[in-house]
Amino acid sequence: MDFYFSQFLTGLAGAASLFLVASGLSIIFGVTRIVNFAHGAFYMAGAYIAWSLTERLEGAVGFWGGLVIAAIAVAALGALVEIVLLRRIYHAPELFQLLATFGVTLVFQDLAVMIWGPEDLVGRRAPGLRGAVDVFGQAIPAYDLFLIVLGPTVLGLLWLLFHKTRFGVLVRAATQDRDMVAALGVNQKWLFTAVFALGVFLAALGGALQLPRGGVNHAMDLQIIVEVFVVVVVGGLGSVPGAFVAALLVSELNAFGILVLPQVSLVLVFLVMAVVLVIRPFGLFGRPEGPARASVSATVRPWQPLGTSGRVLAVAAIAAAACLPLVAGNYILAVGSELLIFALFAASLQFIMSTGGLVSFGHAAYFGLGAYGAALVTKAFGLPMLGGIASGVALASIGAVVFGWFCVRLTGVYLAMLTLAFAQIAWSVAFQWTAVTGGDNGILGVWPDGWASRPGAFYWLCLTAAALGIAALRVVVFSPFGFAMRALRDSPLRSEAIGIDRKRTQWTAFVIAGAAAGLAGALFAYLKGSVFPDTLGIPTSVDGLVMVLLGGVETVSGAVIGAILFRALTIFLMSYTDASKLVLGLLIIVLVVAFPRGVVGTLSGLLARLGARPSATPAMAGSGQARGGTP
Amino acid sequence: MDTRRTILTGMALGAGMAALPALAQQGEIKIGEINSYSGLPAFTEPYRKGLQLAAEEVNAKGGVLGKKLVVITKDDAGKPADAVTAANELVSRDEVAMIAGAFFSNVGLALADYAKQKKIFYLAGEPLTDAMVWSSGNRYTFRLRPSNYMQAAMLAEEAAKLPAKKWATIAPNYEYGQSAVKVFKELLSKKRPDIEWVGEQWPPQGKIDAGPVVQAIAALKPDAILNVTFGPDLIKLVREGNTRGLFKGRSVVSFLTGEPEYMDPLKDETPEGWLVTGYPWNNVKTPEHEAFLKAYQAKFNDYPRLGSIVGYSLVNAAAAIIQKAGSTDTEKMIEAARGISFDTPFGKATFRAIDQQSTLGAFVGKTGVKDGKGVMVDPVYRDGADYLPSDDEVKKMRPQD
C-alpha cells in the first residue's frame, strides 16, 4: 500500500512537469490555431539557458532566479519569432505555420549543439530540495513534492488570469471565436503575440524545471513535443484544466502501467489518446469547434484539370525524367528513385488533405505498412517483387480501412491526432513484435528481382508507379467522387443535405490515399533493401506534411514539387554538411516567408494573376480571403 | 572529381581541419565512412578525431600501397535508409575501396545487407548487435567493437562472484537493451543456477520516466541490479536512484557506464562501486596507449573518449587489410582480413576468420569518484578473444556461405 501511494505521488510529479509544457501549447493553439511544432524547441532552450545561468549564479536565489530568468528570456525569444516570422503567415492556409515552426525547430537543434556542445549536461539539484522525504517508509524526492504543489498552483494562476483579467477574457473569447473578437475591434496582433509569449514562457519554465530531475540534452525537444500534443488533445484543445487532467491521466497510467507491463511506456500515451478520442471525439473537456468559416481558400479559384498545354508539359516532364538513366550514374538514379517514391507518398497525403480536407498526422502508417507488407511476404514466401509490392499495397489498404473507419468519425485536429495515434500503435507493433518484424533490427534482404536490380531499371519502375499513381489520384480528384470529397470539405452540412454519405466518402478517400502511400512504401523497401520501424515513425509523417505544405496545400498536386524539393535538399545537405538541420531549417523559414501559399500555390497564384484582367485581380488576391467570412 | 568537390569533402571531414589539398586521383585510396554525425555529436566528434589522427599517421608512414589514404565521412541522420543513400553515393560516386562506420545497430545491419547485395567490403565500427556477425552475418561484413555478447560475458564473469541472489534489470526497450539483458541472464544463470530474476523494467530509449522506474525496481527488493541504460536516461536514473536510495546496499552491474562519453557528464554524482565496462583513458599504462594518448592530446588538446579509440582502430584496421590484400579488390580484402592482426591503442587485435568479429576487448572495473569526476577503479583489460563462443557454436548461429 505504501508503495502504491508513493508510486502515485511520483506519477503526480511527472504530471506536473508535463502539464506546464502542455498548458502553454494548449493556450497557443486555442487562440492562434498554430500547431506549434517549435514548442519542444522552446522547452529545450529554457532548459539550456537555465543550465547556463544556474551554473554561474550563486545560492538559492541564483538558482530559482536563474530558472525564471531563463523562462522570461525564452518567452522574449518566442515573442520575437512570433513577430518576425509567424505574423507574416497568419493568412496562409491552415497548418502552414506548422511548417514555419518546424523550420525553427531544426535551427534550434543545431544551434543547441553549437552553443552548449554535444555532451549531455547535468543540472544542479534544487537548493533546499536536495534530498528525499520519508512518506510512509518510502523515500520521495523533496523536489517531486515541490512539483506536485507547483502543478495545481500554475493551474490556479492561469484560471485567475483567464477569469479575472481583461486579457484573460479576451483570450477566452478568441479561443471560442476569434473572428468575432477581431470584429469587435480588439487588436489581434498584440493579443496573439502576448498569448504566444505566455505559452512559450510555460514551455521554457517546464524545461528549466527539468534540471534537478536530470539534465539537458539536445534531443529533449523531440522527446517531449509529441507527448504534450497528445496531452493537449486528450484534454481538449484550448482547455487548460483539460490539459491538467490529461497530464495526470497519462502520468499515472504510466506509473502503474509499468508495474504490470514494463514495456508499456513505448505506446501508452497513444493508446490513451486513441481510446479517449474514440469515446469522446473532442477530448475530455473540449467542445465541438464552431462551424468552419472557410476551410481551404482554394475555393476562391476552383481547381481545374490540366488543359492541353498542361498535359503536354506533364508528358514532356515525364519523358525528360525517363531519359535520366541514359545520362546519370547509379547514385543519381538511386536518389531519383527516392524522389519519385516520396513524390507519390506526398501526393497521396495531399489527396486526403487538400481534396478531402482531412489532415493526417500519421500518414507514415500506410507508407510503413506498405514497406512491411512487401518485406514480410518476400521473406516468408519468397514472392517475386511485384507480388511483394501488391502485398504492400494490400496491407496498407487494410490498415487504412481499419484506421479510417475510426478517424472519419472525428474532425479537424482531433482527426489528425487520431491518425497519429494509429500510426504510433502500428509503429510500436513493428518495434516490439520482434518474432515477426525483427523489432528495430528490421527485416533485411528485400532487394528487387533480377530484371529491376539495375538502378536504371528500378528507376523506371519507380517513375512508372509514381506517374501512374499521381495521374490516377488526379483522375479521382476530378471525378464525381472527387467533387463529393471537395463538397464535404467545403460544406459538410450542405453536402450531407443533398445526399452525399459523408463517412463512406471520406472512408473511401482514406483507403485510396492509404493504398497509394502503400505503393510508395513498398517501392521504398526494395530501393533500400531493408525495412525498419522508422518507416512508420513520426518523422516520416512529419516529412510528408512538410512536403505537402511546401508544395502548397491548396493545390491539386503541388506536393509533388514539395516532395522533390524537400527530399533533394535533405539528401544534398546531409551529404555536404554536418549542420544540415541548421541550413535546412533556415531555408524552410525563407521559403515559408517567400511562398506563403507553398511554392506551387504561390507561383500558380501569381501566374493566374498575370493572366487575369486587371479588374479581376482583387478577387484573386487571396490573402484577405483566407480567414474571411464566406457565408 | 574536381577541386571544389575535394574541398567539400575536406569540409565534411570536420571542423577545424584544413581542406585537403587537391590530389591526383590515382594517388588516393578512399574509405567511405558513414555515421550519425548530426544526431550523436557526443560520440562522433571524438570518433572523427580518432579517424583523422590514424589517417595522418598512416599517411606519414607512406600511406597504403604507396598511396594516400583518404577517409570521406557522411552523415546518416541516425536512419538506416539514409545510411544506404550515403553508401550509394560513396560507392558509385566516390568509388571508395570499402565502406565503414555506423553507430546504431539497425544502421549497421542495413549497411551490412547493402554490402552483401552490392558485394562491397564493410568494416563496421560501433554497432554492438550480435546479429551483425552471427544470425545476419555475411562474408562482406567485419565488425570492430566488442559486441553485446562479449561485454555481457565480461560482466557476467565478474557478476557471478557477487553474493547477490535476487537480480532485477533495467534496460532501454530496443534491440540493444533486449539482447544485452538476454545474454547476461543466460550467461550468469549458467554460472550461478541459484540466481533468481525478480523483475525487469523497459523504459523507452531516451524517454525514461525515471521516478516510477526506480520506485518499481526498489519495490522488488533485489540484491543486485543490471543496468543497460546510457546517455540522458542514465543521468536521470542515477539522480532518481541516488535520491531515493535505490543503489544503497545493492550491487549494480552496468553496461558501457565506464565509457567517458557516458560517465563524464555524471561528474561528482557518479555512483561508486558499480561494475562496468568502459575505457579509463588516464589509467591505461601500456606503451601503445601511451603513444596514442600523447599524439591525441598533442593534436587536439583534449582527452580521448571511447569513440576516439573506435575511430583510430577502424582506420588502422582498414589500412592493414588493404596493405595485406595488395589491392582494393573486395574478394582479396576479405581474404586478407580474415585472421589479420592490426594495431589498436589497446594492443593487437585480430579479425576472427570464423565470424569476422575482431578480438578488440574492453576494460572492466568499478566506478568511483576522484576530484569531483567519475573514474574507473582497478580497471582490467579483457581481451575480446576470451569472451567469444566456440567455433561450433558460431557455426550454428551464422549462415554459412
Side-chain angles (χ1 to χ4, degrees), chain A residues 3 6-7 10-11 14 51 55 110 113 117-126 130-132 138-142 144 210-218 222-224 226-227 251 254-255 258-259 262-266 270 329-332 334-335 338 431-432 434 438 440-448 453 455 524 527-530 532-534 539-540 543 567 570-571 574-578 580-581, chain B residues 4-5 8-9 11-15 37-43 45-46 48 73-86 88-90 92-93 105-107 109-110 113-115 117-118 129 131 136 173-176 178 200-207 209-213 215-219 221 230-232 235-236 238-240 242-245 260-262 264-267 269 303 305:
Chain A
F3 163 63
S6 68
Q7 194 75 349
T10 307
W51 182 86
E55 289 296 304
D110 269 0
V113 176
E119 282 182 3
D120 304 326
L121 305 175
V122 175
R124 282 181 190 274
R125 285 172 184 265
R130 286 170 200 278
Q138 304 271 337
I140 302 289
D144 275 18
Q210 290 304 305
L211 288 184
R213 306 189 92 208
V216 198
N217 65 78
H218 57 90
L222 296 186
Q223 278 152 20
I224 193 135
V226 179
E227 204 159 313
S251 290
N254 185 54
I258 59 168
L259 302 178
Q263 289 91 345
V264 80
S265 303
L266 194 67
F270 300 100
N330 287 348
Y331 170 62
I332 293 296
V335 170
E338 190 164 336
F431 195 91
Q432 201 82 67
T434 315
D440 62 315
N441 269 1
I443 302 174
L444 306 177
V446 190
W447 295 99
S453 62
F524 189 70
L527 173 69
K528 299 297 180 185
S530 46
F532 298 93
D534 66 345
T540 309
D543 282 357
R567 204 56 215 154
T570 311
I571 294 173
M574 264 176 54
S575 175
Y576 284 109
T577 162
D578 283 347
S580 59
K581 282 181 281 192
Chain B
R4 186 183 58 87
R5 163 115 187 100
L8 284 168
T9 310
M11 280 167 63
L13 250 176
Y37 289 99
S38 59
L40 283 169
F43 167 78
E45 285 190 7
R48 177 142 54 189
T73 58
K74 296 280 177 197
D75 184 24
D76 65 24
K79 292 182 192 161
D82 290 341
V84 171
T85 306
N88 261 324
E89 181 176 12
L90 290 166
S92 29
R93 263 201 164 172
S105 289
N106 54 13
V107 170
L109 288 169
D113 198 51
Y114 173 89
Q117 176 73 9
K118 307 283 177 183
T129 180
S136 301
N173 183 13
Y174 74 112
E175 198 273 341
Y176 166 62
Q178 288 152 6
E200 41 197 44
Q201 277 300 320
W202 298 99
Q205 163 66 3
K207 293 174 120 179
D209 191 358
V213 168
Q215 202 76 31
I217 290 289
K221 302 199 165 43
F230 56 93
I235 294 174
K236 288 184 190 154
V238 165
R239 179 154 286 188
E240 284 287 338
N242 281 342
T243 314
R244 291 173 192 255
E261 282 91 333
Y262 306 125
D264 291 355
L266 291 169
K267 292 185 194 155
E269 282 193 54
Y303 62 94
R305 320 297 203 274

Side-chain angles (χ1 to χ4, degrees), chain A residues 271-322:
Chain A
L271 283 177
V272 172
M273 178 162 73
V275 171
V276 168
L277 287 183
V278 166
I279 297 170
R280 291 187 60 92
F282 298 99
L284 295 174
F285 292 85
R287 267 173 287 188
E289 292 173 65
R293 289 212 166 73
S295 47
V296 178
S297 61
T299 44
V300 177
R301 197 177 60 242
W303 290 346
Q304 306 234 320
L306 288 178
T308 317
S309 58
R311 281 182 197 177
V312 170
L313 264 178
V315 171
I318 294 170

Side-chain angles (χ1 to χ4, degrees), chain B residues 35-49 51 103 307:
Chain B
N35 225 305
S36 304
Y37 289 99
S38 59
L40 283 169
F43 167 78
T44 52
E45 285 190 7
Y47 172 78
R48 177 142 54 189
K49 288 176 180 162
L51 294 174
F103 180 92

Side-chain angles (χ1 to χ4, degrees), chain A residues 485-505:
Chain A
M485 283 172 70
R486 286 149 71 182
L488 285 166
R489 174 195 71 194
D490 293 338
S491 180
L493 285 178
R494 280 183 226 173
S495 316
E496 290 194 83
I498 58 168
I500 298 174
D501 186 336
R502 184 179 73 82
K503 283 181 188 161
R504 177 174 296 183
T505 307

Side-chain angles (χ1 to χ4, degrees), chain A residues 84-171:
Chain A
V84 174
L85 179 61
L86 297 176
R87 261 193 203 177
R88 293 170 191 275
I89 52 171
Y90 278 124
H91 289 302
E94 203 178 5
L95 280 180
F96 198 66
Q97 300 86 4
L98 172 73
L99 188 57
T101 52
F102 176 70
V104 171
T105 306
L106 290 178
V107 172
F108 267 49
Q109 276 179 346
D110 269 0
L111 282 183
V113 176
M114 288 174 189
I115 298 172
W116 283 280
E119 282 182 3
D120 304 326
L121 305 175
V122 175
R124 282 181 190 274
R125 285 172 184 265
L129 302 170
R130 286 170 200 278
V133 177
D134 189 281
V135 181
F136 300 130
Q138 304 271 337
I140 302 289
Y143 191 71
D144 275 18
L145 297 176
F146 164 73
L147 288 177
I148 291 170
V149 176
L150 183 72
T153 309
V154 170
L155 178 66
L157 288 174
L158 287 174
W159 189 89
L160 283 177
L161 177 69
F162 288 152
H163 289 83
K164 300 292 171 196
T165 66
R166 179 176 154 75
F167 171 75
V169 172
L170 288 179
V171 168

Side-chain angles (χ1 to χ4, degrees), chain A residues 241-265:
Chain A
F244 185 80
V245 175
L248 208 61
L249 188 69
V250 165
S251 290
E252 292 297 350
L253 280 175
N254 185 54
F256 288 97
I258 59 168
L259 302 178
V260 187
L261 188 63
Q263 289 91 345
V264 80
S265 303

